Amino acid sequence: MKHKSAVRCNLIPRKWVSISILKLVHSGTMEQPSYYAESVTTPSAMGSSDGTGADSSSVISEEQIDRRRGVSGYQSTEDQLNKLTLMPSADSWHFDITELLDSQTYIPPENPNQRAGNNFKNYDAKKSIFVLCVIGSLDVHTHLLWYSDE
Amino acid sequence: MTNKSRIQADPHSDSLHELTAISTNIQALIVTDRIEEVKSRIIPSLSVSLPALETSGTPPNHFLKLGLLRPNDLQNTALDAIVLIDPDEKRRLVLPFGWGAGKYVTDQDRGKRVLERMAAILKRTVKELVDEKTPSGVDFYDIARTYF
């Protein structure tokens, strides 16, 4: 029996063995969770957090890419919006909340025309989710927080 | 700068109000490197007053750590965004405004639709984060009661 199997092994050309191993490795790398695919196709949608600066440093603009792909800019925006989902915890960056809260803080004074959005009285380190409005050159997203889709 | 918002405020059913209903401990904050402008212009224009945190350093520390520095920008401007940080201090979502999926957010025609989508995404993802922290397996009794 031992002899037989050895013969059978020799019958398979070595080239075939290495090809099938390569195939296995290849299919292994392809089986990434779907979020990898998303971040590859729309780096800007997921944030140019990798520091590659996919947005403004790329040689051709997003519009040009859209045109080449034969889709309107709005259509590609729809695609990108559909891909905005939570990143898996294991793959997400750590962000130090203690360091953030140590920053210079401005709590707006009470104003009869405004509802107070300060919820620090309900702060719980184990439960609190932070919604950070990062201000660059716009302010439209600060207004989003009072917007309702209903 | 967009000085006026096209969004109408409704004090009884605003987005932050809904988010607070989903997660009572939620903290909404403004992160900026231009605190004086935020104090004098942006916060007074909101119907919900949000606390603001100032980021310092060159480049601004929090922008850097959030991965939101505009590339190749000597002024160290941030990429406008709403970022969700979960209770484990993980950056779980970046909603882009004026770039990426949110490129058309200030567009006269399409802007409102994009904002609607962003508000819906924000609500859905906050709900998902709350559900992650809710221990599962306690609902078997309820399920059984529904079916038998």
Side-chain angles (χ1 to χ4, degrees):
Chain A
M1 289 304 278
K2 223 176 180 182
H3 179 70
K4 240 184 181 176
S5 63
V7 169
R8 199 177 280 169
C9 257
N10 284 335
L11 284 174
I12 305 170
R14 269 181 192 276
K15 227 194 328 186
W16 289 13
V17 177
S18 59
I19 287 171
S20 56
I21 289 171
L22 267 178
K23 267 191 176 167
L24 272 175
V25 171
H26 186 62
S27 62
T29 55
M30 291 306 281
E31 275 178 33
Q32 284 173 339
S34 57
Y35 54 82
Y36 279 116
E38 284 171 10
S39 62
V40 168
T41 51
T42 60
S44 49
M46 304 301 285
S48 61
S49 49
D50 48 4
T52 53
D55 277 292
S56 52
S57 65
S58 56
V59 182
I60 51 172
S61 70
E62 284 180 54
E63 273 95 343
Q64 280 173 304
I65 296 169
D66 292 345
R67 239 177 282 138
R68 285 184 194 184
R69 286 165 61 200
V71 292
S72 70
Y74 188 59
Q75 188 54 48
S76 85
T77 294
E78 277 291 311
D79 293 345
Q80 288 177 326
L81 283 168
N82 288 334
K83 286 170 185 164
L84 287 174
T85 51
L86 282 186
M87 285 176 251
S89 175
D91 299 314
S92 299
W93 287 12
H94 180 262
F95 182 74
D96 195 335
I97 289 294
T98 314
E99 195 186 342
L100 177 78
L101 296 180
D102 276 346
S103 320
Q104 188 95 26
T105 310
Y106 170 71
I107 308 280
E110 276 190 39
N111 180 336
N113 301 320
Q114 282 182 322
R115 202 164 66 73
N118 179 10
N119 195 26
F120 273 120
K121 62 181 187 298
N122 291 320
Y123 176 67
D124 181 337
K126 288 199 176 83
K127 290 182 188 164
S128 279
I129 297 164
F130 277 81
V131 183
L132 305 179
C133 263
V134 177
I135 308 250
S137 47
L138 303 173
D139 59 15
V140 65
H141 45 318
T142 55
H143 295 266
L144 182 83
L145 286 174
W146 83 49
Y147 179 74
S148 173
D149 60 342
E150 280 166 8
Chain B
M1 287 289 158
T2 48
N3 277 314
K4 69 180 177 66
S5 164
R6 290 179 296 275
I7 305 162
Q8 292 304 307
D10 176 354
H12 300 296
S13 124
D14 60 70
S15 210
L16 188 59
H17 190 76
E18 287 171 13
L19 294 179
T20 312
I22 297 168
S23 166
T24 48
N25 312 101
I26 205 163
Q27 306 292 324
L29 303 167
I30 291 172
V31 180
T32 180
D33 62 342
R34 291 176 285 124
I35 193 78
E36 288 308 320
E37 190 198 340
V38 167
K39 271 188 203 177
S40 62
R41 188 180 66 80
I42 296 180
I43 291 177
S45 75
L46 303 174
S47 75
V48 179
S49 68
L50 297 174
L53 297 180
E54 186 172 26
T55 182
S56 54
T58 313
N61 187 28
H62 300 322
F63 295 167
L64 184 68
K65 290 190 173 168
L66 288 167
L68 287 173
L69 276 175
R70 201 171 276 280
N72 302 341
D73 181 285
L74 296 175
Q75 310 295 317
N76 291 315
T77 318
L79 289 161
D80 292 272
I82 289 184
V83 184
L84 277 189
I85 311 286
D86 74 9
D88 297 325
E89 304 195 344
K90 292 293 188 78
R91 191 197 73 160
R92 300 294 299 280
L93 180 76
V94 175
L95 290 181
F97 290 80
W99 54 285
K103 191 170 62 169
Y104 296 109
V105 85
T106 51
D107 190 284
Q108 199 76 42
D109 306 319
R110 309 158 172 175
K112 189 168 180 291
R113 171 82 188 123
V114 178
L115 278 175
E116 281 171 4
R117 292 288 303 278
M118 293 290 194
I121 292 166
L122 190 60
K123 209 162 87 176
R124 187 191 74 218
T125 48
V126 167
K127 175 96 173 54
E128 283 171 11
L129 283 182
V130 171
D131 289 347
E132 270 183 10
K133 283 281 162 190
T134 311
S136 56
V138 291
D139 300 320
F140 286 125
Y141 181 71
D142 282 340
I143 293 165
R145 208 169 41 183
T146 313
Y147 285 97
F148 302 109

